[in-house]
């Protein structure tokens, strides 16, 4: 399927071979155990290890992550479960890991746990490829590009080459881009990781995550971790996620186009500062982004004068939900500083563009900005 377009691949990904009188996408399999006489061999033995519904979803995600290539995907109950599986399956006491210091809000919690386990944690910003300076002696490099919520971008190929030269594995958190926007394994990464709660499933109603690897040994490590900690998705969630993948390209195309239009509109507003969107030609990361990204994501970040202005803006919006998370078909926005875990100003807004008509959404934002300034 490597020559097919993204939309065709998305609607066909992971489907089993056609069978007369059977559905094209079989329903979820609810089973804790399976018939298993004799030796415990075969694809399905116990529900914490494998499930046919996971199998279809994992094949589908693999086909999107690396079309035409042999890769293996492991699905998890959440994005954090996927992140933890990579880090804790690969790192031991005495190892060194390099993390971004401007990444997802829960990474500092992971850092605390790694440190408690005797792992040395080094951090540097995503922008400017700053993690390059910390690779000596590292076992694993963790990249988040674009970063959340600041939307900085690093040169993944450059970092991968340097990390592999230093003997380190590389994991890329690809949540913001999705495989429709960026393919970390094609850029040389060893792990492509995502919270599928966000853009991959795109409806704000499923918690899910995945890890895709090129190396079967790394996949075995990740799957063993899933089995040990039991961080498994329910079959209904897995089935809903697979169903949602069919519209991935349609959703992402609309969201990215509208996100760029929103960024262009915000750039003309004098009260908006700190605007970031990798697809905007004036963005500091644009030159790097165009070399490795195929689409630039649904998230736009910017700053308003202060907390009060930001809250008035959010209150004035009518077509945008004040909610955390991103990547859904309904636009959301939030004052990110309310959580206290990101190094952002009080007036910092993370805006996730949905699938609304662009004209309606932009008009709502313009009106809300006008009201917030009064």
């Amino acid at each position: 399927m490597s020559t097919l377009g993204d939309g065709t691949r998305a609607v066909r990904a992971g489907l089993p071979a056609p069978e007369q009188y059977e559905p094209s996408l079989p329903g979820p399999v609810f089973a804790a155990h399976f018939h298993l006489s004799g030796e415990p061999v075969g694809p399905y033995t116990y529900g914490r290890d494998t499930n046919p519904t996971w199998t279809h979803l994992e094949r589908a995600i693999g086909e999107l992550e690396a079309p035409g290539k042999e890769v293996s995907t492991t699905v998890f109950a959440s994005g954090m479960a996927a992140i933890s599986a990579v880090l804790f399956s690969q790192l031991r006491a005495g190892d060194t890991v390099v993390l971004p210091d401007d990444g997802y809000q829960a990474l500092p919690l992971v850092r605390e746990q790694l440190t408690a386990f005797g792992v040395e944690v080094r951090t540097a910003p995503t922008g400017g490829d700053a993690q390059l300076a910390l690779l000596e002696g590292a076992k694993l490099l963790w990249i988040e590009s674009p970063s959340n919520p600041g939307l900085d971008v690093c040169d993944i190929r450059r970092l991968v080459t340097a990390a592999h030269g230093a003997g380190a594995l590389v994991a890329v958190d690809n949540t913001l881009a999705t495989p429709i926007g960026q393919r970390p394994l094609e850029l040389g990464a060893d792990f492509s990781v995502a919270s599928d709660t966000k853009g991959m499933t795109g409806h704000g109603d499923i918690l899910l995550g995945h890890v895709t690897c090129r190396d079967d040994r790394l996949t075995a490590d990740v799957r063993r971790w899933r089995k040990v900690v039991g961080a498994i998705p329910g079959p209904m969630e897995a089935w809903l996620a697979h169903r949602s993948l069919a519209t991935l390209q349609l959703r992402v195309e609309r969201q990215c186009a509208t996100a760029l239009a929103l960024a262009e509109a915000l750039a003309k507003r004098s009260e908006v500062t700190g605007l970031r969107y990798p697809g905007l030609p004036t963005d500091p990361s644009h030159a790097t982004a165009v070399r490795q990204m195929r689409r630039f994501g649904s998230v736009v970040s910017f700053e308003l004068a202060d907390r009060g202005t930001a809250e008035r803006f959010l209150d004035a919006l009518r077509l945008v939900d004040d909610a955390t998370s991103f990547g859904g078909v309904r636009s959301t926005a939030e004052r990110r500083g309310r959580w206290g875990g990101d190094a952002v100003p009080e007036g910092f807004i993370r805006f996730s563009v949905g699938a609304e008509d662009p004209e309606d959404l932009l008009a709502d934002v313009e009106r809300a900005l006008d009201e917030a300034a009064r």
Side-chain angles (χ1 to χ4, degrees), residues 15-41:
L15 298 181
E19 188 172 338
Q20 189 78 340
Y21 311 121
E22 292 295 323
S24 57
L25 177 61
V29 175
F30 298 98
H33 57 264
F34 301 84
H35 291 294
L36 187 66
S37 59
E39 293 299 314
V41 295

Side-chain angles (χ1 to χ4, degrees), residues 71-155:
V71 298
S72 297
T73 296
T74 306
V75 291
F76 290 86
S78 69
M80 278 307 301
I83 290 170
S84 298
V86 173
L87 292 168
F88 292 104
S89 72
Q90 298 304 309
L91 298 169
R92 304 288 184 272
D95 288 341
T96 298
V97 62
V98 179
L99 302 178
D101 63 13
D102 55 348
Y104 178 54
Q105 187 187 49
L107 278 182
L109 300 177
V110 175
R111 176 181 181 176
E112 291 177 10
Q113 192 62 60
L114 288 168
T115 301
F117 287 165
V119 175
E120 179 186 350
V121 181
R122 303 170 185 167
T123 64
T126 298
D129 299 343
Q131 291 172 295
L132 281 173
L134 305 180
L135 292 175
E136 184 176 355
K139 174 73 177 297
L140 177 68
L141 167 64
W142 187 274
I143 293 170
E144 187 177 305
S145 181
S147 62
N148 172 28
L151 302 183
D152 261 329
V153 172
C154 61
D155 187 332

Side-chain angles (χ1 to χ4, degrees), residues 261-349:
L262 174 62
E264 291 170 341
L266 291 171
K268 299 174 183 177
R269 303 283 306 212
S270 60
E271 72 269 45
V272 171
T273 61
L275 175 65
R276 296 301 303 269
Y277 182 67
L280 198 64
T282 55
D283 188 90
S285 293
H286 183 71
T288 301
V290 295
R291 292 196 300 269
Q292 63 192 25
M293 298 185 74
R294 302 162 63 240
R295 297 171 181 86
F296 302 104
S298 63
V299 178
V300 178
S301 68
F302 57 96
E303 299 169 25
L304 297 177
D306 50 34
R307 174 175 178 167
T309 305
E311 290 178 346
R312 288 195 300 274
F313 166 70
L314 294 169
D315 287 344
L317 291 166
R318 296 293 175 264
L319 300 179
V320 181
D321 296 333
D322 190 344
T324 196
S325 200
F326 56 86
V329 291
R330 289 174 290 278
S331 291
T332 60
E334 69 172 336
R335 190 182 66 81
R336 192 62 185 166
R338 64 182 175 175
W339 297 99
D342 296 308
V344 296
E346 285 293 303
F348 182 96
I349 301 291

